[in-house]
Amino acid sequence: MTDVAARSAPNAVGTDPNASPVRGRSGPGTVLRPHHPGRLADMRQQYDTSTPPPAFSVADAFTLRTALDALGGVRGLDTLDAACGHGSTTRLLASGGARRTVGVDSCPERIRQARQGGGDVEYVVAEAADIAALGPFDLATAVYLFNQAHDRTALHAMFRAVRAGLRPGGRLLAIVPNPGAFPYADWTPYGISVVERAPGGDAPLLRARLETDPPVPFECREWAHADFAEAAADAGFTTVAWQPTRTPPACANRDETYWARYRTAPVGSLMNCVA
């Protein structure tokens, strides 16, 4: 495979109009645990438990599904969902005909609840050091995992752990936050609010909350897309590309005006890394 320099998306809110769409077919695999798994669980949990799900998570799920479709699907692949939470993305992989689907999370309670969701899935309570032993995998997904790295060393270690579990040509599809939102973008109508941005360390600390009933507070680091791309390249990924958020068709509750406004400053973007 040709060695291609990592390309990063703009380090600001919004999406890159020149971002390359997902092309080709290969796979990723392997995950790693964030430094603060409980905080990640708060955010990821909403993908599985909110009724109806918040708009930002609906858009993220649609973005991931369209990317998988563009790759030709997952049928016959060995797949892994990193930081799987209650298993919504894991079940998506399994229902697509993956040969093997593994959901990994460090929290036994989340894994217990994920198993209750059924499906032909292998759920494992594991830390980063254990993941390589579960593979190798062709495809890995990671939704809001890497923004949990508390410093640059941890961020690079996360990407190295993922890369170590991939087959040659394996692919990582990761949903990561878009930086630069606070105080300019108001994500409250879409299910999330940034309360405070505290500079310091290798990346600013964001204090935010999920707009559920009751609200769920969480914290994460505001890494630039260039930081993610640098960590991926350092880990040995040969290409790093970006895909802007894609939104589902309009419906009675969320019309095209609603989604068009969201697309001007979406919560996340899709990071597409090939080993």
Side-chain angles (χ1 to χ4, degrees), residues 7 16-24 66-67 70-71 171 173 241-244 246 270 272:
R7 292 169 289 154
D16 181 2
N18 299 313
S20 302
V22 179
R23 295 188 178 91
T66 56
L71 292 170
R171 191 179 298 266
L173 297 179
W242 297 88
Q243 178 178 306
R246 296 181 178 177
L270 179 70
N272 182 353

Side-chain angles (χ1 to χ4, degrees), residues 32-40 145 147-151 154 158:
L32 120 146
R33 298 311 314 151
H35 185 249
H36 298 298
R39 290 170 184 167
L40 173 65
L145 169 63
N147 51 299
Q148 300 302 313
H150 62 286
D151 60 21
M158 286 184 172

Side-chain angles (χ1 to χ4, degrees), residues 9 24 32 76 88 90 97 109 147 178 181-182 193 196-198 200 225 230 235 241 244 262:
L32 120 146
S88 61
T90 323
E109 175 59 20
N147 51 299
N178 291 316
F182 185 81
S193 297
E196 181 184 3
R197 182 179 186 271
H225 284 180
E230 177 186 65
Y262 179 72

Side-chain angles (χ1 to χ4, degrees), residues 72-237:
V74 299
R75 185 168 299 279
L77 301 183
D78 295 326
T79 63
L80 179 137
D81 183 25
C84 68
H86 294 167
S88 61
T89 301
T90 323
R91 290 187 291 274
L92 173 67
L93 298 173
S95 66
R99 178 173 58 187
R100 181 184 181 219
T101 303
V102 180
V104 175
D105 204 288
S106 63
C107 175
E109 175 59 20
R110 290 195 295 273
I111 289 294
R112 184 190 69 79
Q113 294 188 40
R115 287 171 176 154
Q116 293 178 345
D120 186 14
V121 177
E122 177 184 347
Y123 288 107
V124 181
V125 179
E127 299 290 341
D130 305 320
I131 301 242
L134 300 174
F137 297 96
D138 300 304
L139 174 74
T141 56
V143 178
Y144 296 122
L145 169 63
F146 297 110
N147 51 299
Q148 300 302 313
H150 62 286
D151 60 21
R152 195 170 302 277
T153 298
L155 180 65
H156 282 239
M158 286 184 172
F159 277 94
R160 286 195 297 270
V162 173
R163 175 62 185 87
L166 290 172
R167 290 189 172 105
R171 191 179 298 266
L172 166 68
L173 297 179
I175 299 289
V176 300
N178 291 316
F182 185 81
Y184 308 106
D186 180 13
W187 288 332
T188 305
Y190 306 101
I192 191 169
S193 297
V194 178
V195 178
E196 181 184 3
R197 182 179 186 271
D202 291 334
L205 178 67
L206 294 182
R207 295 184 174 92
R209 65 173 176 263
L210 294 158
E211 296 298 341
T212 53
D213 186 15
V216 179
F218 69 94
E219 295 178 356
C220 64
R221 290 288 173 177
E222 189 185 36
W223 295 102
H225 284 180
D227 294 321
F228 292 130
E230 177 186 65
D234 179 65
F237 285 98

Side-chain angles (χ1 to χ4, degrees), residues 55-71:
F56 82 92
S57 69
V58 173
D60 291 338
F62 186 80
T63 299
L64 186 58
R65 284 196 302 271
T66 56
L68 291 170
D69 288 344
L71 292 170

